[in-house]
């Protein structure tokens, strides 16, 4: 969950892991810790038709969840980081 200031131009204040509630530090509008942010719009043929969801996971919760996958997450190293 992302928390912003209530100004005309909102600034990121912190991110809270939706799984464990760990507070991830943000400074000057930038996240200072690693997390995964997911936004998904559900389409048809499911129980959540037309719904949108978003959430954030800290690195530890992401590791725990993906560690339970029957098929591992695909990984590769990026050559450039922007």
């Amino acid at each position: 969950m992302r928390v912003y200031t209530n100004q005309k131009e909102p600034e990121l204040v912190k991110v809270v892991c939706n799984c464990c509630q760990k507070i991830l530090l943000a400074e000057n509008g930038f996240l200072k810790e690693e997390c995964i942010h997911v936004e998904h719009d559900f389409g048809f043929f499911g129980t959540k038709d037309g719904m949108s969801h978003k959430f954030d996971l800290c690195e530890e919760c992401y590791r725990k969840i993906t560690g339970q996958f029957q098929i591992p997450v695909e990984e590769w190293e990026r050559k450039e980081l922007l």
Side-chain angles (χ1 to χ4, degrees), residues 4-79:
Y4 295 90
T5 58
N6 291 327
Q7 299 174 357
K8 288 182 182 180
E9 293 185 30
E11 183 176 290
L12 183 66
V13 176
K14 68 181 173 182
V15 176
V16 180
C17 176
N18 284 77
C19 187
C20 71
Q21 299 184 358
K22 176 182 177 182
I23 297 173
L24 304 172
L25 179 66
E27 208 173 81
N28 298 322
F30 293 97
L31 187 60
K32 302 294 261 185
E33 296 184 62
E34 190 62 53
C35 83
I36 183 167
H37 178 73
V38 176
E39 290 189 40
H40 182 72
D41 300 320
F42 289 90
F44 299 106
F45 313 113
T47 59
K48 302 217 178 284
D49 293 357
M51 297 292 297
S52 294
H53 287 195
K54 65 180 176 180
F55 60 90
D56 293 281
L57 295 174
C58 69
E59 199 169 5
E60 184 178 336
C61 288
Y62 173 77
R63 213 176 5 256
K64 287 178 185 177
I65 290 168
T66 58
Q68 298 175 21
F69 287 2
Q70 295 298 309
I71 300 171
V73 172
E74 290 184 40
E75 293 183 356
W76 62 93
E77 187 173 338
R78 295 187 346 208
K79 302 295 181 206

